[in-house]
Amino acid sequence: MRVIIRYFFRSLRLILTPIVLINEKLTSPRAVSRSSEDQARVEQAASKLALYQFKACPFCIKVRKEMSRLGLPIETRDAQNDPDHRAALEAGGGRVKVPCLLIEHDNGEQQWLYESDDINAWLRKQFEPASS
């Protein structure tokens, strides 16, 4: 019985994953508008960030949509299919849980931030353009 249930959910995931990913592409917001100097500063700051994620995870999609809205070129690391990224997430963050944002501070310290709402709040605080 356990095997049947496992294969049922595996099949369901195979069917739903492309639908979820297409929906993400169609509903991702446009990036905010910044001057070229401001965007260069944002890109420099984003180069010190990495998002550990699973491709079809709804919470990871939520973070990727916020990254898209803020125009952030943050490296995404597949912790589901890449054993090196999975091992790095477990070693650095202490657990294999996604989404997880790796923040590398200027002093070399690493901060591992879990939970999609916390990650999105941190991204907005750091990168939301000032209202005109």
Side-chain angles (χ1 to χ4, degrees):
M1 186 64 166
R2 208 179 237 174
V3 173
I4 294 171
I5 293 171
R6 181 180 301 144
Y7 280 110
F8 170 77
F9 282 108
R10 194 171 285 168
S11 300
L12 187 62
R13 197 172 22 232
L14 285 172
I15 293 167
L16 291 178
T17 295
I19 295 168
V20 167
L21 295 176
I22 289 170
N23 183 49
E24 177 189 3
K25 290 292 182 194
L26 294 175
T27 61
S28 286
R30 288 192 165 176
V32 295
S33 180
R34 293 186 184 93
S35 68
S36 57
E37 297 85 20
D38 287 342
Q39 187 61 33
R41 281 192 288 275
V42 164
E43 290 173 7
Q44 174 64 30
S47 70
K48 298 178 181 183
L49 305 174
L51 179 69
Y52 287 83
Q53 47 107 36
F54 294 172
K55 197 70 173 161
C57 165
F59 299 105
C60 298
I61 291 171
K62 182 178 175 180
V63 173
R64 290 196 307 262
K65 282 186 175 188
E66 187 66 14
M67 289 168 36
S68 177
R69 186 187 73 77
L70 292 170
L72 303 175
I74 296 174
E75 176 188 0
T76 56
R77 297 179 180 172
D78 187 352
Q80 185 172 21
N81 299 314
D82 188 322
D84 294 333
H85 291 319
R86 185 182 191 90
L89 176 60
E90 187 171 20
R95 56 191 170 172
V96 179
K97 180 182 175 194
V98 293
C100 181
L101 184 66
L102 169 59
I103 306 163
E104 296 198 21
H105 296 283
D106 292 333
N107 63 4
E109 179 185 333
Q110 292 184 337
Q111 177 183 355
W112 297 82
L113 184 60
Y114 289 93
E115 300 297 332
S116 58
D117 288 335
D118 294 341
I119 294 169
N120 284 346
W122 188 88
L123 292 173
R124 281 191 294 275
K125 182 179 175 190
Q126 300 297 316
F127 299 106
E128 187 80 53
S131 300
S132 305

